[in-house]
Amino acid sequence: MKGETIDDRALVLDRDDTVATALADLEAASSLSYDGRTIELTENVPFGHKVAMEPIPAGDPVRKYGSVIATATEAIQPGDWVHTHNCESNRGRGDTTAEVSDR
Amino acid sequence: MMPTFTGYRRESGRIGIRNRVAVLPVSVAASSIAERIAEQGGPDVVATPHQMGTSQADAAREQTERVLVGTGQNPNVGAALVVGLGTEAIDASELADRIGANGTPTEALSIRAAGGTKASVDAGGELIDGLVAEANQARRESADASELVFGVECGGSDATSGIAANPAVGNACDRLVDDGGTASFSETPEFIGAEHVLAERCVSEDTRERLLERVERRESLADAMGVDMRGAQPSPGNQEGGLTTIEEKSLGAIAKGGTTPIRGIVEYAEQLPVGGGLVLMDTPGYDVESVVGKVAGGAQVIAFTTGRGSTTGNPIAPVIKVTGNPDTADRMASNMDVDASTVLEGESIAEVGDRIYRTLLSVADGTLTEAERRGMAEFAINEIQPRELAALGDPL
Protein backbone atom coordinates (compact mmCIF):
# COMPACT_ATOMS: atom_id res chain seq x y z
CA MET A 1 0.00 0.00 0.00
CA LYS A 2 1.24 3.44 -0.86
CA GLY A 3 1.77 5.82 2.05
CA GLU A 4 2.33 5.33 5.77
CA THR A 5 0.13 3.10 7.93
CA ILE A 6 -0.60 4.26 11.48
CA ASP A 7 -1.13 1.50 14.07
CA ASP A 8 -2.72 -0.67 11.30
CA ARG A 9 -5.82 1.52 11.69
CA ALA A 10 -5.26 4.53 9.44
CA LEU A 11 -3.29 5.51 6.36
CA VAL A 12 -1.53 8.76 5.44
CA LEU A 13 -1.02 8.63 1.66
CA ASP A 14 1.51 11.45 1.31
CA ARG A 15 3.81 13.34 3.69
CA ASP A 16 2.11 16.65 2.82
CA ASP A 17 -1.36 15.33 3.69
CA THR A 18 -3.40 16.89 6.50
CA VAL A 19 -5.81 13.94 6.77
CA ALA A 20 -5.51 10.16 7.25
CA THR A 21 -7.93 7.52 5.91
CA ALA A 22 -9.47 5.14 8.48
CA LEU A 23 -8.68 1.48 7.75
CA ALA A 24 -11.13 0.39 10.47
CA ASP A 25 -14.09 1.94 12.29
CA LEU A 26 -12.26 4.33 14.62
CA GLU A 27 -13.87 5.23 17.94
CA ALA A 28 -14.07 8.60 19.66
CA ALA A 29 -11.42 9.08 22.39
CA SER A 30 -9.15 6.42 20.87
CA SER A 31 -5.77 7.71 19.75
CA LEU A 32 -3.36 7.50 16.81
CA SER A 33 0.41 7.84 17.13
CA TYR A 34 1.79 9.73 14.17
CA ASP A 35 4.96 11.70 13.53
CA GLY A 36 5.96 11.67 17.22
CA ARG A 37 2.55 12.97 18.29
CA THR A 38 -0.55 11.39 19.80
CA ILE A 39 -3.78 12.43 18.13
CA GLU A 40 -6.96 11.77 20.09
CA LEU A 41 -10.13 11.27 18.08
CA THR A 42 -12.83 13.81 18.93
CA GLU A 43 -15.58 11.67 17.35
CA ASN A 44 -16.19 8.31 15.62
CA VAL A 45 -14.65 8.00 12.15
CA PRO A 46 -16.10 5.17 10.01
CA PHE A 47 -13.99 2.85 7.83
CA GLY A 48 -12.80 4.69 4.69
CA HIS A 49 -13.55 8.14 6.11
CA LYS A 50 -10.97 10.78 6.97
CA VAL A 51 -9.55 12.07 10.24
CA ALA A 52 -7.62 15.35 10.51
CA MET A 53 -3.96 14.94 11.46
CA GLU A 54 -3.25 18.70 11.58
CA PRO A 55 -5.21 21.79 12.57
CA ILE A 56 -6.91 23.16 9.42
CA PRO A 57 -8.24 26.74 9.79
CA ALA A 58 -11.51 27.62 8.02
CA GLY A 59 -10.74 28.55 4.39
CA ASP A 60 -7.54 26.50 4.28
CA PRO A 61 -6.96 23.58 1.91
CA VAL A 62 -7.47 19.95 2.97
CA ARG A 63 -4.74 17.70 1.49
CA LYS A 64 -4.86 13.98 0.58
CA TYR A 65 -2.79 12.10 -2.05
CA GLY A 66 -0.42 15.09 -1.76
CA SER A 67 -3.04 17.26 -3.50
CA VAL A 68 -5.79 19.66 -2.45
CA ILE A 69 -9.09 17.79 -2.18
CA ALA A 70 -11.25 20.45 -0.50
CA THR A 71 -11.41 23.72 1.43
CA ALA A 72 -12.30 23.70 5.14
CA THR A 73 -15.62 25.48 5.80
CA GLU A 74 -14.95 25.67 9.53
CA ALA A 75 -11.92 25.28 11.79
CA ILE A 76 -10.89 21.61 11.94
CA GLN A 77 -8.88 20.24 14.87
CA PRO A 78 -6.58 17.20 14.82
CA GLY A 79 -8.71 14.12 15.57
CA ASP A 80 -11.85 15.58 13.92
CA TRP A 81 -13.80 13.60 11.33
CA VAL A 82 -13.33 15.39 7.96
CA HIS A 83 -16.21 15.11 5.51
CA THR A 84 -18.92 17.14 3.76
CA HIS A 85 -20.03 18.79 7.03
CA ASN A 86 -16.76 20.70 7.51
CA CYS A 87 -15.17 21.01 4.08
CA GLU A 88 -16.27 21.42 0.46
CA SER A 89 -15.19 20.91 -3.15
CA ASN A 90 -13.64 23.73 -5.13
CA ARG A 91 -14.59 22.28 -8.52
CA GLY A 92 -17.61 21.76 -10.78
CA ARG A 93 -19.55 24.35 -8.82
CA GLY A 94 -22.11 25.68 -11.33
CA ASP A 95 -24.15 26.82 -8.31
CA THR A 96 -21.49 29.35 -7.35
CA THR A 97 -20.83 30.57 -10.90
CA ALA A 98 -22.79 33.72 -11.65
CA GLU A 99 -22.51 33.23 -15.41
CA VAL A 100 -25.11 30.86 -16.83
CA SER A 101 -24.65 30.81 -20.58
CA ASP A 102 -24.79 28.54 -23.59
CA ARG A 103 -21.09 28.90 -24.14
CA MET B 1 9.24 -13.81 -22.57
CA MET B 2 6.12 -12.23 -24.01
CA PRO B 3 2.94 -13.57 -22.36
CA THR B 4 0.49 -15.11 -24.81
CA PHE B 5 -3.15 -16.15 -24.96
CA THR B 6 -5.33 -17.74 -27.61
CA GLY B 7 -7.87 -15.73 -29.57
CA TYR B 8 -9.79 -15.45 -32.81
CA ARG B 9 -7.84 -13.80 -35.65
CA ARG B 10 -10.20 -11.61 -37.67
CA GLU B 11 -9.95 -10.60 -41.33
CA SER B 12 -9.04 -7.10 -40.12
CA GLY B 13 -5.91 -8.56 -38.49
CA ARG B 14 -7.24 -7.85 -34.99
CA ILE B 15 -7.56 -10.61 -32.43
CA GLY B 16 -10.82 -11.33 -30.58
CA ILE B 17 -11.01 -13.09 -27.20
CA ARG B 18 -14.68 -14.10 -27.61
CA ASN B 19 -16.61 -15.22 -30.68
CA ARG B 20 -19.90 -13.37 -30.29
CA VAL B 21 -22.63 -12.83 -32.83
CA ALA B 22 -24.02 -9.35 -32.15
CA VAL B 23 -27.60 -8.28 -32.82
CA LEU B 24 -27.50 -4.47 -33.00
CA PRO B 25 -30.73 -2.41 -33.06
CA VAL B 26 -30.35 1.04 -34.68
CA SER B 27 -32.98 2.56 -32.33
CA VAL B 28 -35.14 1.86 -29.30
CA ALA B 29 -37.89 0.86 -31.74
CA ALA B 30 -35.89 -2.21 -32.76
CA SER B 31 -34.42 -3.04 -29.35
CA SER B 32 -37.04 -5.53 -28.08
CA ILE B 33 -37.05 -7.44 -31.35
CA ALA B 34 -33.24 -7.52 -31.38
CA GLU B 35 -33.36 -9.08 -27.91
CA ARG B 36 -35.94 -11.66 -29.02
CA ILE B 37 -33.85 -12.56 -32.05
CA ALA B 38 -30.73 -12.99 -29.89
CA GLU B 39 -32.61 -15.18 -27.39
CA GLN B 40 -33.14 -17.76 -30.14
CA GLY B 41 -29.40 -18.13 -30.68
CA GLY B 42 -26.87 -19.82 -28.41
CA PRO B 43 -25.02 -18.21 -25.49
CA ASP B 44 -22.66 -16.35 -27.84
CA VAL B 45 -25.51 -14.53 -29.61
CA VAL B 46 -25.93 -11.21 -27.80
CA ALA B 47 -28.13 -8.15 -28.29
CA THR B 48 -27.22 -4.54 -27.56
CA PRO B 49 -30.62 -2.97 -26.74
CA HIS B 50 -30.49 0.80 -26.17
CA GLN B 51 -32.75 3.84 -25.82
CA MET B 52 -31.75 6.07 -28.75
CA GLY B 53 -34.74 7.47 -30.68
CA THR B 54 -35.44 7.10 -34.39
CA SER B 55 -34.10 10.59 -35.12
CA GLN B 56 -31.40 12.59 -33.36
CA ALA B 57 -29.56 15.86 -33.96
CA ASP B 58 -26.63 15.29 -36.33
CA ALA B 59 -23.83 15.26 -33.74
CA ALA B 60 -25.81 12.93 -31.47
CA ARG B 61 -26.73 10.61 -34.37
CA GLU B 62 -23.11 10.46 -35.55
CA GLN B 63 -22.05 9.46 -32.05
CA THR B 64 -24.72 6.72 -31.94
CA GLU B 65 -23.51 5.44 -35.34
CA ARG B 66 -19.89 5.47 -34.15
CA VAL B 67 -20.85 3.37 -31.12
CA LEU B 68 -22.86 0.87 -33.18
CA VAL B 69 -20.21 0.52 -35.91
CA GLY B 70 -17.42 0.24 -33.34
CA THR B 71 -19.36 -2.36 -31.38
CA GLY B 72 -20.01 -4.43 -34.51
CA GLN B 73 -16.34 -4.15 -35.50
CA ASN B 74 -14.99 -5.10 -32.07
CA PRO B 75 -12.73 -8.12 -32.66
CA ASN B 76 -14.80 -10.12 -30.14
CA VAL B 77 -17.62 -10.03 -32.71
CA GLY B 78 -17.46 -12.84 -35.29
CA ALA B 79 -20.61 -11.73 -37.14
CA ALA B 80 -23.30 -9.06 -36.76
CA LEU B 81 -26.98 -8.56 -37.55
CA VAL B 82 -28.28 -4.96 -37.67
CA VAL B 83 -32.01 -4.51 -36.99
CA GLY B 84 -34.11 -1.41 -37.70
CA LEU B 85 -37.80 -0.59 -37.69
CA GLY B 86 -37.18 0.97 -41.10
CA THR B 87 -38.11 4.57 -40.24
CA GLU B 88 -34.87 5.57 -38.50
CA ALA B 89 -32.46 8.25 -39.65
CA ILE B 90 -29.82 5.50 -39.29
CA ASP B 91 -30.39 2.98 -42.10
CA ALA B 92 -29.81 -0.62 -40.95
CA SER B 93 -28.40 -1.79 -44.30
CA GLU B 94 -25.95 1.11 -44.54
CA LEU B 95 -24.81 0.54 -40.96
CA ALA B 96 -24.32 -3.18 -41.67
CA ASP B 97 -22.20 -2.25 -44.69
CA ARG B 98 -20.05 0.06 -42.57
CA ILE B 99 -19.48 -2.71 -40.04
CA GLY B 100 -18.76 -5.24 -42.81
CA ALA B 101 -16.10 -2.96 -44.32
CA ASN B 102 -13.50 -4.56 -41.99
CA GLY B 103 -14.46 -8.07 -43.13
CA THR B 104 -17.01 -8.90 -40.42
CA PRO B 105 -19.87 -11.00 -41.88
CA THR B 106 -23.04 -8.89 -41.52
CA GLU B 107 -26.75 -8.97 -42.33
CA ALA B 108 -29.49 -6.34 -41.98
CA LEU B 109 -33.18 -6.68 -41.20
CA SER B 110 -36.01 -4.14 -41.54
CA ILE B 111 -38.97 -4.87 -39.25
CA ARG B 112 -41.44 -3.05 -41.51
CA ALA B 113 -40.19 -4.78 -44.63
CA ALA B 114 -40.24 -8.19 -42.92
CA GLY B 115 -43.88 -7.69 -41.89
CA GLY B 116 -43.92 -6.95 -38.17
CA THR B 117 -42.87 -8.57 -34.91
CA LYS B 118 -43.41 -12.27 -35.55
CA ALA B 119 -42.12 -12.22 -39.11
CA SER B 120 -39.02 -10.25 -38.00
CA VAL B 121 -38.24 -12.60 -35.13
CA ASP B 122 -38.55 -15.56 -37.53
CA ALA B 123 -36.52 -13.91 -40.29
CA GLY B 124 -33.93 -12.74 -37.74
CA GLY B 125 -33.64 -16.29 -36.41
CA GLU B 126 -32.80 -17.58 -39.88
CA LEU B 127 -30.23 -14.84 -40.49
CA ILE B 128 -28.65 -15.60 -37.10
CA ASP B 129 -28.36 -19.31 -37.97
CA GLY B 130 -26.32 -18.38 -41.02
CA LEU B 131 -24.14 -15.85 -39.13
CA VAL B 132 -23.48 -18.33 -36.30
CA ALA B 133 -22.35 -20.91 -38.86
CA GLU B 134 -19.93 -18.35 -40.34
CA ALA B 135 -18.62 -17.23 -36.95
CA ASN B 136 -18.15 -20.84 -35.85
CA GLN B 137 -15.52 -21.36 -38.53
CA ALA B 138 -13.12 -19.30 -36.42
CA ARG B 139 -10.60 -21.22 -34.29
CA ARG B 140 -8.48 -19.95 -31.41
CA GLU B 141 -4.81 -19.35 -32.23
CA SER B 142 -1.90 -18.01 -30.21
CA ALA B 143 -1.48 -14.24 -29.87
CA ASP B 144 0.82 -11.94 -27.92
CA ALA B 145 -0.35 -9.87 -24.94
CA SER B 146 0.73 -6.82 -26.97
CA GLU B 147 -2.44 -7.27 -29.05
CA LEU B 148 -4.73 -6.71 -26.09
CA VAL B 149 -6.66 -3.47 -25.64
CA PHE B 150 -7.58 -3.30 -21.96
CA GLY B 151 -10.29 -0.87 -20.85
CA VAL B 152 -10.39 0.04 -17.17
CA GLU B 153 -13.39 1.46 -15.38
CA CYS B 154 -14.56 2.22 -11.86
CA GLY B 155 -18.07 2.31 -10.45
CA GLY B 156 -19.55 2.44 -6.98
CA SER B 157 -16.28 3.88 -5.68
CA ASP B 158 -15.44 4.31 -2.02
CA ALA B 159 -12.29 5.23 -0.14
CA THR B 160 -10.80 1.75 -0.76
CA SER B 161 -10.97 2.26 -4.55
CA GLY B 162 -8.18 4.84 -4.59
CA ILE B 163 -6.07 2.96 -2.04
CA ALA B 164 -6.39 -0.70 -3.12
CA ALA B 165 -8.40 -1.72 -6.21
CA ASN B 166 -7.44 1.17 -8.51
CA PRO B 167 -3.67 1.13 -7.90
CA ALA B 168 -3.71 -2.69 -8.25
CA VAL B 169 -5.53 -2.53 -11.61
CA GLY B 170 -3.15 0.30 -12.52
CA ASN B 171 -0.24 -2.03 -11.82
CA ALA B 172 -1.78 -4.57 -14.24
CA CYS B 173 -2.06 -1.75 -16.83
CA ASP B 174 1.63 -0.98 -16.31
CA ARG B 175 2.48 -4.66 -16.91
CA LEU B 176 0.41 -4.79 -20.11
CA VAL B 177 1.92 -1.53 -21.40
CA ASP B 178 5.41 -2.87 -20.62
CA ASP B 179 4.50 -5.92 -22.73
CA GLY B 180 3.51 -3.65 -25.62
CA GLY B 181 -0.27 -3.56 -25.23
CA THR B 182 -2.84 -0.79 -24.84
CA ALA B 183 -4.62 0.30 -21.66
CA SER B 184 -7.36 2.92 -21.58
CA PHE B 185 -9.29 4.71 -18.89
CA SER B 186 -11.95 7.38 -19.25
CA GLU B 187 -14.71 9.28 -17.41
CA THR B 188 -13.54 12.86 -17.89
CA PRO B 189 -15.64 14.26 -14.98
CA GLU B 190 -13.43 12.07 -12.78
CA PHE B 191 -10.29 13.80 -14.03
CA ILE B 192 -11.52 17.04 -12.37
CA GLY B 193 -9.18 17.89 -9.53
CA ALA B 194 -6.54 15.41 -10.74
CA GLU B 195 -5.80 16.92 -14.15
CA HIS B 196 -2.55 18.46 -12.89
CA VAL B 197 -1.24 14.95 -12.18
CA LEU B 198 -2.40 13.62 -15.57
CA ALA B 199 -1.10 16.67 -17.48
CA GLU B 200 2.42 16.07 -16.17
CA ARG B 201 2.35 12.55 -17.61
CA CYS B 202 1.30 13.46 -21.18
CA VAL B 203 3.98 12.62 -23.74
CA SER B 204 3.30 15.66 -25.90
CA GLU B 205 2.19 19.23 -25.50
CA ASP B 206 -0.65 18.50 -27.93
CA THR B 207 -2.01 15.65 -25.76
CA ARG B 208 -1.64 17.78 -22.65
CA GLU B 209 -3.63 20.65 -24.19
CA ARG B 210 -6.36 18.35 -25.46
CA LEU B 211 -6.66 16.69 -22.06
CA LEU B 212 -6.99 20.02 -20.22
CA GLU B 213 -9.44 21.30 -22.84
CA ARG B 214 -11.64 18.19 -22.38
CA VAL B 215 -11.64 18.53 -18.60
CA GLU B 216 -12.53 22.21 -18.90
CA ARG B 217 -15.33 21.40 -21.32
CA ARG B 218 -16.90 18.90 -18.91
CA GLU B 219 -16.58 21.28 -16.00
CA SER B 220 -17.91 24.30 -17.90
CA LEU B 221 -20.87 22.20 -18.97
CA ALA B 222 -21.80 21.99 -15.30
CA ASP B 223 -21.36 25.77 -15.13
CA ALA B 224 -23.45 26.30 -18.27
CA MET B 225 -26.26 24.25 -16.80
CA GLY B 226 -25.99 26.01 -13.43
CA VAL B 227 -25.47 22.60 -11.86
CA ASP B 228 -23.74 22.04 -8.56
CA MET B 229 -21.75 18.91 -9.33
CA ARG B 230 -21.80 18.03 -5.66
CA GLY B 231 -25.31 16.64 -6.15
CA ALA B 232 -23.92 13.81 -8.28
CA GLN B 233 -20.15 13.88 -7.77
CA PRO B 234 -19.30 12.24 -5.51
CA SER B 235 -22.59 10.30 -5.53
CA PRO B 236 -24.45 9.77 -2.24
CA GLY B 237 -23.04 6.21 -2.23
CA ASN B 238 -19.49 7.50 -2.77
CA GLN B 239 -20.01 9.91 0.13
CA GLU B 240 -21.23 7.15 2.41
CA GLY B 241 -18.06 5.28 1.46
CA GLY B 242 -15.94 8.19 2.69
CA LEU B 243 -15.37 10.23 -0.48
CA THR B 244 -15.98 13.91 0.26
CA THR B 245 -15.30 15.79 -3.00
CA ILE B 246 -14.86 15.17 -6.74
CA GLU B 247 -11.18 16.10 -6.34
CA GLU B 248 -10.68 13.27 -3.84
CA LYS B 249 -12.64 10.82 -6.02
CA SER B 250 -10.64 11.80 -9.13
CA LEU B 251 -7.24 11.47 -7.43
CA GLY B 252 -8.24 7.91 -6.47
CA ALA B 253 -9.86 7.15 -9.84
CA ILE B 254 -6.83 8.00 -12.01
CA ALA B 255 -4.74 5.39 -10.17
CA LYS B 256 -6.53 2.65 -12.16
CA GLY B 257 -4.63 3.66 -15.32
CA GLY B 258 -1.26 2.95 -13.73
CA THR B 259 1.84 5.09 -13.93
CA THR B 260 3.00 5.00 -17.57
CA PRO B 261 3.06 8.09 -19.84
CA ILE B 262 -0.25 9.19 -21.39
CA ARG B 263 0.15 8.78 -25.14
CA GLY B 264 -3.11 10.31 -26.32
CA ILE B 265 -6.77 11.04 -25.74
CA VAL B 266 -9.54 9.88 -28.09
CA GLU B 267 -13.23 10.78 -28.45
CA TYR B 268 -16.08 8.72 -27.00
CA ALA B 269 -16.19 5.40 -28.94
CA GLU B 270 -13.31 6.46 -31.23
CA GLN B 271 -10.85 3.66 -32.13
CA LEU B 272 -8.11 2.97 -29.57
CA PRO B 273 -4.73 2.11 -31.08
CA VAL B 274 -3.33 -1.44 -30.82
CA GLY B 275 0.10 -1.45 -29.16
CA GLY B 276 -0.58 2.12 -28.10
CA GLY B 277 0.42 2.27 -24.43
CA LEU B 278 -1.82 4.24 -22.09
CA VAL B 279 -4.51 6.22 -23.96
CA LEU B 280 -7.41 8.16 -22.40
CA MET B 281 -10.96 8.33 -23.75
CA ASP B 282 -13.21 11.38 -23.22
CA THR B 283 -16.40 9.85 -21.82
CA PRO B 284 -19.15 10.78 -19.38
CA GLY B 285 -18.94 9.57 -15.79
CA TYR B 286 -21.77 7.05 -16.17
CA ASP B 287 -19.98 3.70 -15.97
CA VAL B 288 -22.13 1.61 -18.35
CA GLU B 289 -21.90 4.22 -21.12
CA SER B 290 -18.21 4.62 -20.46
CA VAL B 291 -17.55 0.85 -20.75
CA VAL B 292 -19.58 0.76 -23.98
CA GLY B 293 -17.47 3.64 -25.37
CA LYS B 294 -14.24 1.72 -24.80
CA VAL B 295 -15.65 -1.54 -26.17
CA ALA B 296 -16.80 0.37 -29.28
CA GLY B 297 -13.24 1.72 -29.37
CA GLY B 298 -11.92 -1.84 -29.71
CA ALA B 299 -11.24 -2.93 -26.11
CA GLN B 300 -11.58 -6.73 -25.98
CA VAL B 301 -11.58 -6.88 -22.16
CA ILE B 302 -12.53 -4.58 -19.29
CA ALA B 303 -11.47 -4.39 -15.64
CA PHE B 304 -14.08 -2.78 -13.42
CA THR B 305 -13.14 -1.72 -9.90
CA THR B 306 -15.80 -1.22 -7.28
CA GLY B 307 -15.72 -0.47 -3.58
CA ARG B 308 -19.41 -0.51 -2.77
CA GLY B 309 -20.19 -3.39 -5.12
CA SER B 310 -21.42 -3.69 -8.69
CA THR B 311 -22.70 -6.58 -10.80
CA THR B 312 -22.28 -4.94 -14.22
CA GLY B 313 -21.09 -6.71 -17.38
CA ASN B 314 -21.08 -6.05 -21.12
CA PRO B 315 -22.54 -8.08 -24.01
CA ILE B 316 -19.37 -7.94 -26.13
CA ALA B 317 -16.39 -7.80 -23.75
CA PRO B 318 -15.76 -9.80 -20.56
CA VAL B 319 -15.74 -7.54 -17.48
CA ILE B 320 -13.32 -8.49 -14.68
CA LYS B 321 -14.60 -7.24 -11.32
CA VAL B 322 -12.04 -6.07 -8.75
CA THR B 323 -12.88 -4.80 -5.26
CA GLY B 324 -10.67 -3.27 -2.58
CA ASN B 325 -13.38 -3.35 0.08
CA PRO B 326 -13.16 -6.43 2.37
CA ASP B 327 -16.89 -6.29 3.17
CA THR B 328 -17.83 -6.22 -0.54
CA ALA B 329 -15.31 -8.98 -1.32
CA ASP B 330 -17.14 -11.11 1.22
CA ARG B 331 -20.79 -10.12 0.68
CA MET B 332 -20.59 -10.01 -3.13
CA ALA B 333 -18.05 -12.77 -3.64
CA SER B 334 -20.20 -14.30 -6.40
CA ASN B 335 -19.83 -11.12 -8.48
CA MET B 336 -16.11 -10.44 -7.85
CA ASP B 337 -13.24 -11.91 -9.87
CA VAL B 338 -10.32 -10.46 -7.90
CA ASP B 339 -10.15 -9.54 -4.21
CA ALA B 340 -7.77 -6.57 -3.88
CA SER B 341 -8.80 -5.81 -0.29
CA THR B 342 -5.75 -7.85 0.74
CA VAL B 343 -3.82 -4.62 0.06
CA LEU B 344 -5.34 -3.22 3.26
CA GLU B 345 -3.83 -6.17 5.15
CA GLY B 346 -0.39 -5.75 3.66
CA GLU B 347 -0.28 -7.61 0.32
CA SER B 348 1.72 -5.38 -2.02
CA ILE B 349 0.12 -3.50 -4.91
CA ALA B 350 2.59 -5.29 -7.22
CA GLU B 351 1.48 -8.73 -6.02
CA VAL B 352 -2.20 -7.94 -6.50
CA GLY B 353 -1.37 -6.30 -9.84
CA ASP B 354 0.32 -9.53 -10.91
CA ARG B 355 -2.80 -11.50 -9.93
CA ILE B 356 -4.97 -9.13 -11.97
CA TYR B 357 -2.64 -9.37 -14.98
CA ARG B 358 -2.74 -13.17 -14.85
CA THR B 359 -6.55 -13.04 -14.56
CA LEU B 360 -6.61 -10.75 -17.61
CA LEU B 361 -4.58 -13.23 -19.68
CA SER B 362 -6.70 -16.16 -18.46
CA VAL B 363 -9.95 -14.36 -19.30
CA ALA B 364 -8.50 -13.47 -22.72
CA ASP B 365 -7.77 -17.18 -23.13
CA GLY B 366 -11.43 -18.06 -22.55
CA THR B 367 -12.00 -18.27 -18.79
CA LEU B 368 -15.43 -16.82 -18.05
CA THR B 369 -15.77 -13.83 -15.71
CA GLU B 370 -18.38 -13.83 -12.93
CA ALA B 371 -20.40 -11.29 -14.95
CA GLU B 372 -20.37 -13.62 -17.98
CA ARG B 373 -21.31 -16.65 -15.88
CA ARG B 374 -24.28 -14.72 -14.50
CA GLY B 375 -25.38 -13.28 -17.85
CA MET B 376 -24.73 -9.65 -16.83
CA ALA B 377 -24.59 -7.64 -20.07
CA GLU B 378 -25.57 -3.99 -19.67
CA PHE B 379 -25.46 -1.75 -22.72
CA ALA B 380 -26.15 2.00 -22.99
CA ILE B 381 -25.07 4.63 -25.49
CA ASN B 382 -24.18 8.13 -24.33
CA GLU B 383 -26.60 10.62 -25.87
CA ILE B 384 -25.30 14.12 -26.43
CA GLN B 385 -27.88 16.35 -24.70
CA PRO B 386 -29.38 19.51 -26.30
CA ARG B 387 -27.51 21.82 -23.91
CA GLU B 388 -24.28 19.98 -24.66
CA LEU B 389 -24.93 20.35 -28.39
CA ALA B 390 -25.47 24.06 -27.82
CA ALA B 391 -22.26 24.25 -25.79
CA LEU B 392 -20.45 22.45 -28.61
CA GLY B 393 -21.78 25.01 -31.09
CA ASP B 394 -24.15 22.56 -32.75
CA PRO B 395 -27.63 23.61 -31.62
CA LEU B 396 -30.69 21.49 -32.39
Side-chain angles (χ1 to χ4, degrees):
Chain A
M1 194 156 44
K2 197 184 157 196
E4 190 181 338
T5 310
I6 307 167
D7 306 338
D8 285 334
R9 296 193 302 139
L11 173 72
V12 177
L13 284 154
D14 188 279
R15 290 201 67 83
D16 290 339
D17 288 358
T18 51
V19 294
T21 301
L23 296 180
D25 288 327
L26 304 180
E27 289 188 9
S30 68
S31 58
L32 296 169
S33 309
Y34 178 65
D35 208 17
R37 292 171 297 144
T38 300
I39 291 157
E40 189 171 309
L41 269 71
T42 58
E43 54 201 316
N44 291 336
V45 178
F47 173 82
H49 287 242
K50 293 173 291 298
V51 54
M53 303 307 282
E54 308 282 344
I56 310 169
D60 269 24
V62 178
R63 303 183 74 89
K64 179 181 172 183
Y65 295 107
S67 288
V68 175
I69 62 159
T71 298
T73 51
E74 54 188 71
I76 297 171
Q77 304 305 325
D80 284 356
W81 173 41
V82 178
H83 201 29
T84 47
H85 61 287
N86 55 10
C87 66
E88 66 177 10
S89 170
N90 299 306
R91 303 292 302 274
R93 293 290 302 277
D95 61 325
T96 61
T97 327
E99 180 197 17
V100 176
S101 75
D102 284 346
R103 179 176 56 86
Chain B
M1 201 183 70
M2 171 71 77
T4 59
F5 64 97
T6 62
Y8 303 95
R9 181 72 60 193
R10 305 300 182 194
E11 207 176 300
S12 63
R14 301 282 292 269
I15 194 99
I17 65 169
R18 294 293 183 269
N19 198 28
R20 310 269 201 240
V21 173
V23 184
L24 307 161
V26 297
S27 76
V28 64
S31 283
S32 287
I33 288 178
E35 283 185 286
R36 290 230 216 141
I37 291 170
E39 279 165 17
Q40 306 174 91
D44 278 325
V45 182
V46 293
T48 62
H50 59 83
Q51 300 299 316
M52 297 300 112
T54 53
S55 66
Q56 295 180 276
D58 284 353
R61 177 181 48 75
E62 282 161 17
Q63 178 158 293
T64 300
E65 289 176 1
R66 191 162 72 238
V67 171
L68 293 172
V69 171
T71 302
Q73 290 192 334
N74 184 291
N76 291 352
V77 174
L81 169 64
V82 182
V83 185
L85 177 61
T87 59
E88 292 96 340
I90 302 174
D91 181 81
S93 292
E94 280 173 30
L95 198 89
D97 287 346
R98 282 176 64 185
I99 293 169
N102 78 341
T104 305
T106 58
E107 295 284 357
L109 177 68
S110 162
I111 294 166
R112 288 179 72 193
T117 307
K118 185 173 187 306
S120 298
V121 172
D122 291 345
E126 278 184 37
L127 292 170
I128 284 295
D129 284 347
L131 291 170
V132 167
E134 281 197 75
N136 281 350
Q137 288 171 24
R139 292 287 173 271
R140 281 192 181 263
E141 60 181 73
S142 184
D144 287 344
S146 63
E147 296 192 71
L148 287 174
V149 178
F150 182 31
V152 297
E153 185 68 36
C154 55
S157 296
D158 67 12
T160 66
S161 301
I163 295 170
N166 288 344
V169 165
N171 184 271
C173 287
D174 287 352
R175 289 168 194 269
L176 179 64
V177 168
D178 283 349
D179 284 334
T182 300
S184 177
F185 71 103
S186 56
E187 298 185 289
T188 314
E190 295 174 21
F191 300 165
I192 294 173
E195 67 269 62
H196 58 292
V197 182
L198 294 173
E200 272 179 24
R201 285 169 48 199
C202 290
V203 292
S204 69
E205 185 56 26
D206 179 55
T207 300
R208 200 181 78 86
E209 275 172 22
R210 289 191 62 204
L211 166 70
L212 295 174
E213 185 256 320
R214 290 316 162 104
V215 174
E216 220 241 287
R217 185 197 285 183
R218 294 273 172 189
E219 195 173 8
S220 66
L221 214 55
D223 286 351
M225 296 184 188
V227 170
D228 177 359
M229 274 184 60
R230 287 179 302 175
Q233 287 286 13
S235 69
N238 295 153
Q239 293 187 22
E240 240 179 77
L243 298 175
T244 304
T245 64
I246 182 63
E247 295 95 311
E248 180 183 16
K249 183 177 176 180
S250 296
L251 288 160
I254 62 167
K256 68 184 177 288
T259 59
T260 62
I262 293 164
R263 306 214 162 264
I265 178 165
V266 299
E267 303 284 345
Y268 180 74
E270 190 183 344
Q271 287 303 295
L272 292 160
V274 176
L278 181 62
V279 179
L280 308 185
M281 182 179 280
D282 179 18
T283 75
Y286 170 30
D287 48 26
V288 174
E289 291 180 354
S290 177
V291 167
V292 163
K294 285 179 293 226
V295 172
Q300 304 109 317
V301 56
I302 302 289
F304 189 108
T305 66
T306 181
R308 309 211 12 109
S310 161
T311 60
T312 199
N314 179 272
I316 308 298
V319 175
I320 299 166
K321 223 52 107 337
V322 181
T323 187
N325 184 314
D327 184 44
T328 301
D330 183 39
R331 253 182 324 108
M332 292 187 65
S334 66
N335 293 106
M336 297 298 137
D337 297 282
V338 179
D339 177 6
S341 71
T342 51
V343 167
L344 305 180
E345 287 144 25
E347 188 178 9
S348 74
I349 297 283
E351 283 171 302
V352 184
D354 182 55
R355 278 202 278 132
I356 295 167
Y357 192 43
R358 281 187 281 116
T359 302
L360 169 67
L361 291 165
S362 167
V363 165
D365 213 35
T367 301
L368 296 182
T369 62
E370 294 295 345
E372 285 180 292
R373 289 175 59 195
R374 281 160 233 295
M376 306 309 294
E378 288 82 356
F379 191 88
I381 299 173
N382 173 247
E383 181 167 32
I384 306 178
Q385 300 300 318
R387 290 298 289 265
E388 284 183 74
L389 290 168
L392 294 170
D394 185 7
L396 272 170

